Structures are given as structure tokens and as C-alpha cells.
Amino acid sequence: MQGKIKSVGVVDGDPMVISVELSSGNSVLLDLRSKLCQPEFAEIPTLSLPRTDGREVYWYNGAHLDLEEIKTLLAESGTANEKEE
């Protein structure tokens, strides 16, 4: 997984499932439930939508995921999908 993060959003209104679009044209659906044990991620269901600065996905409480963390979560998750577009 290379490039920059082009956009990020929630999937079907569920703040624990995000869609990350990369500048390479790939889209990644990522389930964040495995991160709920971390205090900053436990707050995500009550936070506003995630944002990106091109390098990472972040929320206003300080929770963030860079591309390497996204790649790791994708590899660990049985429910995440990568889609070539």
C-alpha cells in the first residue's frame, strides 16, 4: 500500500467501519473494532467523522492511523477488503 490518503469516510453510517481512498486508486474498507481497547479509539463512536491530511486518518480526540497502521489492520482483519478501482 503506497501513496497518499485521498479521502476517508464512514461506511453505512457506522463510525467503526471506514472507507479509505488512496491516491493510487485503491479503496480500503477497514473495521476499527479491534482498536476499541485503546482509549482514544473507544471514543470514536461518539466523535465526528474522520478526516485526513494525506498522510494519516485522524479524529479530533487525537486518535490517528497512518498508512502502515492501516496496512497492519487490514492484514489482521478478517472483514477488511481492498478493492482495485
Side-chain angles (χ1 to χ4, degrees):
M1 189 178 311
Q2 300 179 31
K4 294 179 112 181
I5 300 170
K6 188 174 175 182
S7 66
V8 63
V10 299
V11 177
D12 295 331
D14 183 353
M16 296 310 297
V17 180
I18 62 172
S19 173
V20 180
E21 183 181 354
L22 304 173
S23 60
S24 65
N26 291 334
S27 294
V28 178
L29 297 181
L30 193 60
D31 190 327
L32 301 175
R33 291 180 228 293
S34 66
K35 303 285 276 178
L36 284 174
C37 60
Q38 298 176 16
E40 64 273 12
F41 284 92
E43 297 176 0
I44 285 178
T46 62
L47 297 177
S48 62
L49 299 176
R51 298 176 185 251
T52 186
D53 60 5
R55 293 173 293 143
E56 64 183 13
V57 173
Y58 65 90
W59 291 260
Y60 77 85
N61 73 334
H64 60 93
L65 297 168
D66 63 24
L67 283 172
E68 281 302 311
E69 290 170 305
I70 291 170
K71 183 178 177 180
T72 299
L73 279 174
L74 185 62
E76 293 173 351
S77 175
T79 59
N81 297 304
E82 186 170 1
K83 178 181 166 187
E84 297 277 340
E85 294 185 350

